[in-house]
Amino acid sequence: MDLALVVAFQVIYSIALLVLISAGLAVVFGMMRVINLAHGEFMMVGGYATIVAVGAGVNIYVAMLIVAPLTVGILGLVIERLVIRFLYGRLVDTMLATWGLSLLLIGLATLIFGNTTTGISVPIEGFPIGAYQVNGYNLFVIVVTAVMVVAIYAVLSGTRWGLIARGTMQRSDMASALGYSPDRIYMLTFFAGSALTGLAGGVLAPLVGLVPTSGTQYIAKAFITVISGGASVIAGLLSSATLFGLVSQIFTFSVNSMVGEIALLIAAVILLRLLPQGITGRFFRGSM
Amino acid sequence: MGEFRHAATVIAIAFVAMLIGPSLLDTYTLTVLIIYGLLALSLGLIWGFGGILCFGQAAFFGLGAYAYAIAAINVGESTVPFLLGIAVPAAFAFVLGAMMFYGRLSDVYLGVITLVVTLILFKFVNSTAGPEYVIGTARLGGFNGVPGFQTLNVPGYPNWYIYDRSFYYFCAVTLLVVYALMRWLIASPFGRIAVAIRENEQRVELMGYDVRFRKTVLFAIGGAIAGLAGTLFASWAEIVTPGLFSLAQSAEVIVWCIVGGLGTLTGPVIGAMILAFLKFLLGQQGQFDSTLILGLILVLSVLFLPRGVVPSIDLLRKRAGLSGRRTAPGRRRRRARSMADV
């Protein structure tokens, strides 16, 4: 019974982790059809922002939940203005340019922080479930992810800004005719997506030893999760993260974590072969 | 016969460059530049002429290198391993391509699958350090790689190694031969139809061509050339490591093609040689991180030189009125790619 609870907890945690690392990419891709291959490096910057802020005496929660998203959001804003806005509608070119950006950011981080591992300690103690000790910080990650998903949904469906954003993504010419500037809305959406990525980087900072190349371990997973999810931002993200989280955890528990990782990747290949438009291209159509 | 003369000129210039090269640089460096050029040529073919953006060209490169190394340990002579180093990646590319193209996967999804397959190979090979992973007498070695295999030798004479200067000439001539073959391929009906598929897949399909099969074959040819490059690389480096499968390697090939120019065959080769040499120079000085510079070059070239170096020079030359003859068709990457149905 306890073991089942622990396993369930681990599965939920790995799903939450996938959602967390993919959310920023999903917003930017789902809304704007831009694939940001510098996504992992945005997370890396969020992580460094957190560590630097904590080092400067800021409370760790403030650093993770406010400083990191703001820093990365602003970074995203600058990059959108300087590079991405010239490339809207040119999917492959954006991918290549953001790939260049990712290399550039790795280079800059190496220049500033050096090629060494930095980290901060986990702020939450573990707690027991029956005879097993469970990592308390994992619970925190799950809660943050849940709040984040609800918040994205609330903003997109409940607020005027979300309505305008969704409208612009569907018909930018019509939104423009109604007096909203698509240029500004793209800019703000990219800011929001970057901020979410920064949040992910900040929240994961205590869990990983941060090096300038840390971002590369996330990008592939985030990329796969978002693309397999398909066009709908939230439904796609949740469905593909659940599927991949389940698959990888089942194989991790029954064999080892290496096989778990490979199983995730193979599941992605099979899924895309069967559903070339992603999960929401076939199921949950029209959902958000 | 404009195209024929163009190809002949390129080969003549390259031949002269091959002879002059060793007096400017050491052949060890030159050889690896040529191998990278061959790798870039493989992606330049399938991306520039087939419109297939493969994020995992390194997978075929690495597979070729590993196939050669493992076969060489088992056989002890290089002829069969050399052929296997080409055949294995070609077969792998054929199967992978068939899976993707018969599934009618479009742009981004193609990118994801090739990327994922590269990652799978990387993770798998990386985790094979244990003694239970053996093919014949060769251990896979995991992250340590496979060292100590027979390098290239004259067919039938295992003690007559092809190394140093003669290996350089071997690689250079290989590149020239492959280039000539690809020029011929592109001028052939198969190549013409490949370009037509790149421009408008649906129209070609309606004309009765089997688009899926043609794309698969083109993809397999690209895999074979990348595998050949991998085979030569294995013989050059005398060790193969999982790093050959890494995303960084795939990224670099794409950068070479973009900077050199798509829709040409010389572009990717030149791009690869220039950038690889630049990286080599940057690696020798400690001031700037070479990743930083490479990233900057990629961003700037996408923004300001979306056609790449070679087509831009062609364009300039034409504008200056020096040459009236149109060579490689200008790649309308912007238009063709922009409306990809995601």
Side-chain angles (χ1 to χ4, degrees):
Chain A
M1 183 58 210
D2 291 343
L3 183 66
L5 263 179
V6 172
V7 171
F9 181 75
Q10 273 307 316
V11 169
I12 294 172
Y13 169 67
S14 74
I15 294 170
L17 206 59
L18 278 178
V19 172
L20 186 67
I21 62 174
S22 319
L25 194 68
V27 166
V28 171
F29 174 70
M31 309 274 290
M32 299 153 74
R33 288 286 170 280
V34 165
I35 288 186
N36 179 12
L37 283 182
H39 179 76
E41 279 61 42
F42 279 28
M43 285 182 65
M44 178 268 289
V45 172
Y48 273 112
T50 310
I51 288 174
V52 168
V54 169
V58 181
N59 178 300
I60 185 166
Y61 292 102
V62 176
M64 281 190 303
L65 303 177
I66 297 172
V67 175
L70 266 184
T71 314
V72 178
I74 290 167
L75 174 75
L77 206 61
V78 171
I79 286 174
E80 200 268 351
R81 284 292 93 181
L82 285 181
V83 179
I84 302 200
R85 74 176 159 131
F86 302 109
L87 302 172
Y88 284 124
R90 288 156 59 190
L91 190 75
V92 173
D93 283 350
T94 351
M95 276 163 103
L96 296 169
T98 49
W99 201 335
L101 278 175
S102 86
L103 296 177
L104 192 69
L105 287 173
I106 292 175
L108 280 178
T110 313
L111 212 60
I112 298 170
F113 298 100
N115 217 340
T116 50
T117 312
T118 42
I120 45 177
S121 53
V122 177
I124 298 174
E125 298 275 302
F127 61 89
I129 296 181
Y132 300 93
Q133 185 76 4
V134 175
N135 191 340
Y137 195 75
N138 291 4
L139 188 65
F140 175 72
V141 171
I142 295 173
V143 172
V144 169
T145 308
V147 171
M148 181 185 75
V149 170
V150 171
I152 298 174
Y153 181 76
V155 168
L156 281 182
S157 67
T159 65
R160 183 156 184 82
W161 185 82
L163 186 71
I164 295 168
R166 278 187 293 140
T168 311
M169 304 317 153
Q170 279 183 12
R171 286 292 297 269
S172 60
D173 51 347
M174 205 47 96
S176 174
L178 289 169
Y180 300 104
S181 156
D183 191 50
R184 269 195 58 197
I185 290 161
Y186 284 140
M187 189 177 86
L188 287 174
T189 311
F190 200 82
F191 172 78
S194 308
L196 285 175
T197 311
L199 176 73
V203 169
L204 293 185
L207 288 177
V208 291
L210 210 58
V211 279
T213 50
S214 288
T216 43
Q217 60 178 316
Y218 301 119
I219 179 63
K221 263 190 203 164
F223 194 35
I224 294 161
T225 311
V226 170
I227 299 283
S228 311
S232 312
V233 177
I234 295 174
L237 188 58
L238 288 180
S239 55
S240 65
T242 307
L243 180 72
F244 292 149
L246 269 176
V247 167
S248 76
Q249 285 305 310
I250 287 170
F251 281 92
T252 302
F253 275 111
S254 50
V255 194
N256 60 38
S257 66
M258 230 295 298
V259 176
E261 296 261 298
I262 290 182
L264 187 158
L265 297 172
I266 291 175
V269 172
I270 296 171
L271 182 81
L272 279 181
R273 175 61 178 81
L274 298 177
L275 303 172
Q277 297 299 317
I279 296 173
T280 49
R282 172 74 64 85
F283 307 109
F284 316 113
R285 291 190 82 133
S287 57
M288 206 180 305
Chain B
M1 288 301 279
E3 263 177 61
F4 181 75
R5 274 185 55 178
H6 175 71
T9 319
V10 169
I11 290 175
I13 293 174
F15 192 77
V16 173
M18 174 184 94
L19 295 178
I20 299 174
S23 56
L24 303 174
L25 258 177
D26 63 312
T27 46
Y28 187 71
T29 315
L30 272 177
T31 308
V32 77
L33 293 185
I34 287 169
I35 293 170
Y36 284 151
L38 196 58
L39 177 59
L41 183 68
S42 73
L43 186 66
L45 175 76
I46 62 166
W47 187 13
F49 292 90
I52 305 164
L53 173 51
C54 176
F55 269 56
Q57 205 65 10
F60 309 127
F61 184 64
L63 213 57
Y66 265 89
Y68 173 80
I70 288 162
I73 289 178
N74 283 312
V75 177
E77 202 268 345
S78 74
T79 315
V80 176
F82 184 77
L83 295 177
L84 274 179
I86 302 168
V88 170
F92 182 71
F94 190 84
V95 172
L96 181 68
M99 193 200 92
M100 296 190 301
F101 300 124
Y102 281 83
R104 299 207 179 277
L105 292 182
S106 61
D107 264 345
V108 195
Y109 299 98
L110 211 77
V112 181
I113 291 208
T114 48
L115 183 110
V116 169
V117 167
T118 315
L119 271 175
I120 294 177
L121 280 173
F122 177 69
K123 292 211 159 143
F124 172 71
V125 175
N126 221 353
S127 68
T128 54
E132 69 272 27
Y133 295 101
V134 184
I135 299 180
T137 53
R139 276 183 57 180
L140 280 176
F143 44 81
N144 295 317
V146 184
F149 46 84
Q150 171 89 5
T151 55
L152 213 59
N153 59 257
V154 177
Y157 301 91
N159 290 323
W160 293 14
Y161 293 103
I162 301 177
Y163 69 105
D164 201 21
R165 177 134 332 181
S166 47
F167 185 57
Y168 160 72
Y169 285 119
F170 180 78
C171 290
V173 170
T174 306
L175 178 61
L176 286 181
V177 169
V178 170
Y179 172 80
L181 280 176
M182 290 310 115
R183 272 250 82 89
W184 169 76
L185 183 78
I186 288 165
S188 73
F190 179 82
R192 301 274 185 219
I193 293 162
V195 173
I197 294 172
R198 177 192 82 197
E199 293 298 324
N200 192 331
E201 191 168 331
Q202 201 175 20
R203 192 175 293 176
V204 177
E205 180 112 60
L206 290 174
M207 286 163 124
Y209 293 106
D210 190 349
V211 169
R212 300 167 302 183
F213 181 70
R214 281 166 185 276
K215 279 175 115 171
T216 306
V217 170
L218 187 70
F219 195 67
I221 295 174
I225 300 174
L228 173 63
T231 305
L232 294 176
F233 186 86
S235 200
W236 175 81
E238 295 177 16
I239 181 169
V240 292
T241 57
L244 294 173
F245 292 108
S246 68
L247 282 186
Q249 184 76 57
S250 290
E252 237 169 288
V253 187
I254 292 179
V255 178
W256 294 336
C257 286
I258 280 283
V259 172
L262 282 175
T264 64
L265 282 180
T266 38
V269 178
I270 292 173
M273 288 180 175
I274 293 175
L275 288 181
F277 185 59
L278 198 66
K279 194 178 171 188
F280 169 73
L281 288 182
L282 286 170
Q284 288 184 326
Q285 54 90 38
Q287 240 163 9
F288 293 105
D289 196 48
S290 61
T291 335
L292 193 143
I293 312 273
L294 275 184
L296 200 62
I297 292 174
L298 179 54
V299 176
L300 292 178
S301 62
V302 170
L303 281 179
F304 299 111
L305 214 67
R307 286 159 163 271
V309 173
V310 170
S312 300
I313 291 175
D314 263 4
L315 207 70
L316 277 180
R317 223 175 40 166
K318 238 181 37 187
R319 275 198 200 140
L322 288 175
S323 157
R325 192 170 291 119
R326 189 85 178 88
T327 49
R331 176 99 163 85
R332 271 150 303 182
R333 188 152 53 88
R334 202 177 292 203
R335 207 185 61 197
R337 302 277 120 225
S338 63
M339 300 317 287
D341 53 331
V342 184

